[in-house]
Amino acid sequence: MNPPTRLVEVRQRVLKHNDVVAHELRRRFQEAGVMVVSLVSSPGAGKTAFLEKILGMLRSQYRVAAIVGDLATDNDARRLARAQVPTRQIVTGAVCHLEAQMVAGALDGWSLAELDFLFIENVGNLVCPASYDLGEALRLVLLSVTEGEDKPLKYPTIFNTADIALVTKIDLAAAVDFDRPAALRNIQAVRPGMPIFEVSAKTGAGLSYWLEDLHNRKSNGRRQQDDLGQ
Amino acid sequence: MNPPTRLVEVRQRVLKHNDVVAHELRRRFQEAGVMVVSLVSSPGAGKTAFLEKILGMLRSQYRVAAIVGDLATDNDARRLARAQVPTRQIVTGAVCHLEAQMVAGALDGWSLAELDFLFIENVGNLVCPASYDLGEALRLVLLSVTEGEDKPLKYPTIFNTADIALVTKIDLAAAVDFDRPAALRNIQAVRPGMPIFEVSAKTGAGLSYWLEDLHNRKSNGRRQQDDLGQ
């Protein structure tokens, strides 16, 4: 018996089960009119810092909430709570990604219809989260300038499953000799036409451009729903 | 049927199989007198940059070689080849870690007895590599100052399975407001007594201290083998 082959088979069954739950989640989110945005990246690319800043900027205009996943600790949920929006932590234990079922569990008791945006911060990992649909409408992949410009080529799947790339920590670009053309070229090589936003949660640079894009997507989504008579 | 439960069962079988292969690898490495050092970290923490520098510094005194793992691309092997030591790339596809069997395969045709040190750079990932023994004598976990000081608390398993922590990119410490006491405290909280070296591959800071430690470990290992009459 070949253990890896059996692992692949069982894994496919898990993924199929995840897809069913994610499909149902997506239907619930659409029905409730909440736009769900997930964030994936390697550990330390700045997901929580970005989210903390964005939540603070959105909450005057929208009703927002966040779910954060981590193997251990609720550090991120405590950080996000500073933005004064409802936040829940999923502790995954030894699991290197969030699954749709974990998200469904974390929603318990929340009225989705009372939210405009729900952000889901995945576990810091450039491999495992790629395979798991969480029912989100939009998936952001973050790449910090300190990580190296070849990450898209080395982790193509996660860039392929994402809708938007955020180049983060651009305030450090000069200090780390960030090769911007190479980074942008590598993202486009893996996912041609992918929208890219360059941001810094520390200085606030670029955040308003991304928020404008998010706002437009939300409005378009609403128009499409109206057109469909929903 | 509960797919996650079956996944855990099959995964345990894979891990058991890995342990058998790793055990055999460790025996081969010891017999050949080669010291095997593996590196784990999140993507972009600086494993390849560190290794490139270290290989260049070691090769005048020792016979060294390297194996690098990645999901896609042989970028790292090509970077390490610049250090002019034998290098091999393992492309893991969708697999988020190296396994002992992959390492065994990559050794084909190499005469281990002609090596003093073999370095194995794992896939950039703070979760999956923790569970897979590669037969190494020494496992280094790298944490860059740009990643956030709480990584040891969030990914305790990988820090627990490592022997030495390297805090990397210390040339950027001021630029990112690195909280050094917090980082060191968090490493010690997860793995009390763990040796910590603070280094910069860019400036070379701290590298000689780590090399001295490596040199001493190599000498002690040789003495122990002599004592055992091997």
Side-chain angles (χ1 to χ4, degrees), chain A residues 205-218:
Chain A
L207 294 179
S208 60
Y209 293 106
W210 183 73
L211 281 174
E212 196 185 327
D213 180 73
L214 184 74
H215 177 82
N216 290 340
R217 284 172 190 264
K218 176 83 178 161

Side-chain angles (χ1 to χ4, degrees), chain B residues 15 18-29 36-40 67-69 90 92 97-104 107 118-123 128-139 161:
Chain B
L15 284 174
N18 185 79
D19 281 345
V20 173
V21 182
H23 186 82
E24 169 60 14
L25 274 182
R26 185 165 285 114
R27 195 195 54 74
R28 279 178 66 191
F29 294 148
V36 178
V37 182
S38 79
L39 291 86
V40 294
I67 295 174
V68 281
I90 299 173
T92 63
H97 55 265
L98 287 180
E99 296 181 11
Q101 191 63 58
M102 301 177 190
V103 173
L107 296 175
L118 172 64
F119 291 88
I120 304 176
E121 180 185 331
N122 215 315
V123 176
C128 322
S131 313
Y132 291 84
D133 184 1
L134 302 179
E136 69 268 64
L138 198 65
R139 183 178 288 192
T161 65

Side-chain angles (χ1 to χ4, degrees), chain A:
Chain A
M1 194 197 60
N2 189 337
T5 308
R6 275 201 64 201
L7 185 64
V8 168
E9 281 166 17
V10 179
R11 197 164 167 267
Q12 280 169 347
R13 205 166 301 135
V14 173
L15 284 175
K16 209 164 165 184
H17 173 74
N18 185 79
D19 281 345
V20 172
V21 181
H23 187 83
E24 169 60 15
L25 273 181
R26 185 165 285 114
R27 195 195 55 72
R28 279 178 66 191
F29 293 149
Q30 278 178 344
E31 233 175 61
V34 56
M35 184 172 182
V36 179
V37 182
S38 78
L39 291 86
V40 294
S41 79
S42 62
K47 289 184 297 304
T48 314
F50 173 78
L51 207 45
E52 189 181 343
K53 202 73 179 253
I54 288 297
L55 291 175
M57 292 168 85
L58 281 170
R59 60 185 271 271
S60 61
Q61 200 181 346
Y62 294 105
R63 299 161 303 171
V64 288
I67 295 173
V68 282
D70 258 312
L71 266 70
T73 85
D74 62 348
N75 286 6
D76 287 355
R78 282 191 281 118
R79 279 174 66 188
L80 291 182
R82 295 194 302 223
Q84 295 180 291
V85 307
T87 304
R88 285 188 177 166
Q89 178 85 41
I90 299 173
V91 177
T92 64
V95 179
C96 51
H97 55 265
L98 287 180
E99 296 181 11
Q101 191 63 59
M102 300 177 191
V103 173
L107 296 175
D108 253 10
W110 268 355
S111 170
L112 292 176
E114 287 168 23
L115 289 177
D116 295 309
F117 289 106
L118 171 65
F119 291 88
I120 304 176
E121 180 184 331
N122 216 315
V123 176
N125 196 306
L126 281 181
V127 186
C128 322
S131 312
Y132 292 84
D133 184 1
L134 303 179
E136 68 268 65
L138 198 67
R139 184 178 287 193
L140 313 178
V141 60
L142 280 69
L143 169 71
S144 79
V145 299
T146 65
E147 278 177 77
E149 299 81 4
D150 61 351
K151 288 296 162 295
L153 304 178
K154 287 170 143 187
Y155 301 88
T157 313
I158 198 118
F159 280 82
N160 259 314
T161 65
D163 305 290
I164 291 175
L166 293 175
V167 178
T168 61
K169 306 193 190 184
I170 57 167
D171 54 294
L172 296 173
V176 298
D177 301 324
F178 179 59
D179 186 345
R180 182 175 176 270
L184 303 188
R185 196 169 56 236
N186 291 341
I187 294 171
Q188 295 296 333
V190 170
R191 182 99 153 85
M194 189 179 215
I196 303 173
F197 291 86
E198 298 166 78
V199 299
S200 164
K202 195 174 177 183
T203 67
L207 294 179
S208 60
Y209 293 106
W210 183 73
L211 281 174
E212 196 185 327
D213 180 73
L214 184 74
H215 177 82
N216 290 340
R217 284 172 190 264
K218 176 83 178 161
S219 305
N220 290 340
R222 208 177 275 142
R223 262 200 302 281
Q224 277 168 19
Q225 285 212 331
D226 288 346
D227 290 347
L228 290 166
Q230 291 188 308

Side-chain angles (χ1 to χ4, degrees), chain B residues 2-49:
Chain B
N2 188 337
T5 307
R6 274 201 64 201
L7 185 66
V8 168
E9 280 167 17
V10 181
R11 196 163 168 268
Q12 279 169 348
R13 206 167 300 134
V14 172
L15 284 174
K16 208 166 166 183
H17 173 74
N18 185 79
D19 281 345
V20 173
V21 182
H23 186 82
E24 169 60 14
L25 274 182
R26 185 165 285 114
R27 195 195 54 74
R28 279 178 66 191
F29 294 148
Q30 277 178 345
E31 233 175 61
V34 56
M35 185 173 180
V36 178
V37 182
S38 79
L39 291 86
V40 294
S41 79
S42 62
K47 288 184 297 303
T48 314

